[in-house]
Amino acid sequence: MSDERTLLAHSFTQDICYEAISPREKKPPSRIRRIITEPFGPKNLYVLRLLGWVICLLVSWGLLYTLVKEEVAPGGQLLKLLTLIVSAHIAGIIVSHVNLPPLLGMLVTGIVLRNIKFFEVSGTYREIVVTTREIALTVILIKAGLGLDAKALKKLSFVVLKLAFIPCIVEATGAAVCCYFILGMPWVWGFLLGFVLSAVSPAVVVPTLLKLSSEGYGESKGISTMVIAASSLDDIVAISAFGIFLGFATNVGKSDADITNQLLQAPIEISLGVLFGIVWGLISAWLPHKEDKFVVFKRVFMIGGGGLFSVLGSQMIGYNGAGPLSCIISAFVACLCWKWQGWSDSYNPVATAFSGLWLIMQPALFGLIGAEIDLSQIDATQIGQGLIVLAGGLVFRAIACTTCLLGTNLNWKEMIFVNIAWLPKATVQVWRNSTFHVL
């Protein structure tokens, strides 16, 4: 009897404890709580994201207005610049939804805003626009250097050199021939225009190739690394040759010393770019130490700051091609050392940071490039002739590029892809636009 009472008491105690610790039924949240936690319903993430961006833009504008006032007021030049960048970003998103490159929408936005007379900057803001383009170009060049494959680059080094020099020179020659026979230009001016057209746009080529590389396309043969590396040298050849023929075109009575300096321009630029790139890449790999608490931030600043310094500094001393080359080389050398220190292709927070920076700088770069196109300055009667010159140069380039790739392990489809990758023209041509305005 005593055992039965003990058992009943124990069972009763368990029931009480179970009721005490069992979870109570959750009450439905109050209306106020639902409004705060899910103001647009649980499935309207897009609405919340859009509203968040709008609020951020309004807060940013309000902050700027308290600092510079009339510059961001309606009609202010800073407001026009910010409107161009934001509009280009929105246009890029819209265009990407129809499976077209975002840069197409960004370029069109810049063209439209320029030709409806909305975006016209002058004075100090002209310098700000130029510097913004240089920063964007620096970001994408560093991103390119961080994405290079050392093994593929070593294997394809001779092919890279051929692709860097031969197609560029051949395209410029083809364009010069077309200019002479179609436009009636002197040979010197024909080559001058030819080397403007022959420069490949890294801002267009690099993001596309890095995206394809991240998806595994062409990785086994190192196609992305080959084209990115060759394009950087290609631009140096085009820029240096442009300077040489510009000297011939504008200074007939130059001394032999001046002509010699012009001919040495390209070798000097390549040497300076390689030297500074290697040195700065090694410094960025050693400093800060890999165990530093703020190692990622410092490495981003070292590579980014050094790259921008090389781009702007090379322009200051008159060797414009050295800066872009040093950007790619310093990023490549530093990234290679970081991998030896423990990072990998899948874990590289510096590359992730520059990918984020590119999302911001891409609409700024292509929007501003589009804004350089003033349709009122184009002679409609010469559009056809200009297209023939452009197409003629590209045909010469395609022949030269295909010839350089013969004997490699690339099949015909991959050769055609490399030829297509050489077609984009944008950043270097816009940069040289100011020179022709002076002329």
Side-chain angles (χ1 to χ4, degrees):
M1 188 68 177
S2 176
D3 293 339
E4 291 180 359
R5 290 179 180 178
T6 303
L7 184 61
L8 288 172
H10 180 68
S11 176
F12 180 73
T13 304
Q14 280 187 331
D15 291 340
I16 294 177
C17 293
Y18 178 78
E19 291 179 1
I21 64 175
S22 61
R24 297 180 179 179
E25 294 183 3
K26 291 185 178 180
K27 295 182 179 180
S30 64
R31 184 175 182 181
I32 296 177
R33 187 172 180 178
R34 286 200 307 271
I35 293 174
I36 294 175
T37 56
E38 297 177 357
F40 293 95
K43 297 183 179 180
N44 289 302
L45 179 61
Y46 180 79
V47 176
L48 288 174
R49 185 181 299 171
L50 179 61
L51 184 60
W53 279 114
V54 171
I55 293 175
C56 288
L57 289 174
L58 291 175
V59 171
S60 300
W61 177 84
L63 179 60
L64 287 172
Y65 186 78
T66 60
L67 296 174
V68 294
K69 295 182 175 62
E70 65 274 2
E71 294 297 330
V72 292
Q77 295 201 57
L78 181 57
L79 179 63
K80 291 181 179 180
L81 177 60
L82 295 176
T83 302
L84 170 66
I85 296 173
V86 173
S87 301
H89 181 71
I90 295 173
I93 294 175
I94 294 173
V95 168
S96 65
H97 284 304
V98 293
N99 295 323
L100 290 174
L103 63 89
L104 179 61
M106 299 172 188
L107 285 170
V108 172
T109 300
I111 295 172
V112 171
L113 293 182
R114 170 64 184 273
N115 289 277
I116 64 174
K117 307 301 180 183
F118 173 82
F119 183 77
E120 291 180 331
V121 295
S122 58
T124 304
Y125 282 93
R126 187 65 188 172
E127 297 297 325
I128 293 175
V129 167
V130 173
T131 304
T132 302
R133 286 204 303 259
E134 298 293 351
I135 294 173
L137 183 61
T138 301
V139 170
I140 192 56
L141 290 174
I142 292 174
K143 194 170 182 292
L146 294 172
L148 291 179
D149 185 348
K151 294 181 180 179
L153 188 60
K154 181 180 179 180
K155 182 180 179 181
L156 299 169
S157 56
F158 182 64
V159 181
V160 168
L161 290 176
K162 289 194 298 182
L163 285 175
F165 287 88
I166 297 176
C168 176
I169 296 173
V170 172
E171 180 182 358
T173 303
V177 171
C178 294
C179 287
Y180 180 79
F181 288 103
I182 296 175
L183 300 179
M185 285 186 174
W187 282 108
V188 172
W189 285 90
F191 275 100
L192 188 66
L193 180 58
F195 280 108
V196 170
L197 297 176
S198 64
V200 178
S201 173
V204 179
V205 173
V206 171
T208 304
L209 289 175
L210 290 179
K211 182 176 183 297
L212 292 174
S213 177
S214 65
E215 295 173 357
Y217 292 103
E219 278 296 279
S220 60
K221 298 182 180 180
I223 295 176
S224 297
T225 295
M226 177 183 66
V227 176
I228 291 173
S231 66
S232 62
L233 293 174
D234 175 279
D235 289 341
I236 292 177
V237 173
I239 292 171
S240 301
F242 173 87
I244 293 172
F245 281 96
L246 179 62
F248 291 153
T250 57
N251 296 283
V252 179
K254 278 202 165 189
S255 64
D256 293 339
D258 292 332
I259 295 175
T260 302
N261 290 334
Q262 289 177 350
L263 294 175
L264 292 175
Q265 182 87 3
I268 292 175
E269 287 183 344
I270 293 175
S271 301
L272 288 176
V274 171
L275 179 62
F276 183 82
I278 293 175
V279 171
W280 190 251
L282 292 174
I283 292 175
S284 301
W286 292 331
L287 300 173
H289 191 271
K290 64 178 182 179
E291 302 297 335
D292 192 298
K293 184 178 180 180
F294 302 102
V295 61
V296 175
F297 170 78
K298 291 180 179 179
R299 284 179 173 178
V300 170
F301 181 80
M302 291 281 286
I303 290 295
L308 184 59
F309 171 76
S310 66
V311 170
L312 299 179
S314 63
Q315 295 177 11
M316 183 180 297
I317 63 176
Y319 294 102
N320 302 319
L325 180 61
S326 66
C327 277
I328 294 180
I329 292 179
S330 62
F332 170 70
V333 171
C335 184
L336 184 62
C337 294
W338 295 337
K339 290 178 181 178
W340 292 343
Q341 294 174 1
W343 286 9
S344 63
D345 292 330
S346 59
Y347 178 76
N348 190 335
V350 174
T352 304
F354 277 99
S355 296
L357 286 173
W358 176 241
L359 293 178
I360 300 173
M361 300 308 301
Q362 185 183 23
L365 176 62
F366 290 109
L368 292 172
I369 288 176
E372 291 290 328
I373 301 175
D374 188 354
L375 298 179
S376 63
Q377 301 295 322
I378 298 177
D379 187 353
T381 60
Q382 294 183 345
I383 293 178
Q385 294 175 329
L387 291 176
I388 293 174
V389 171
L390 181 61
L394 291 176
V395 169
F396 274 76
R397 173 181 278 272
I399 295 172
C401 183
T402 303
T403 304
C404 292
L405 293 174
L406 292 176
T408 63
N409 61 344
L410 272 63
N411 57 42
W412 282 104
K413 290 182 179 180
E414 292 165 340
M415 290 184 185
I416 293 173
F417 172 80
V418 174
N419 276 282
I420 294 175
W422 284 120
L423 297 182
K425 317 287 183 182
T427 44
V428 178
Q429 287 73 22
V430 170
W431 177 54
R432 282 305 184 193
N433 181 49
S434 58
T435 303
F436 279 110
H437 277 311
V438 174
L439 297 176

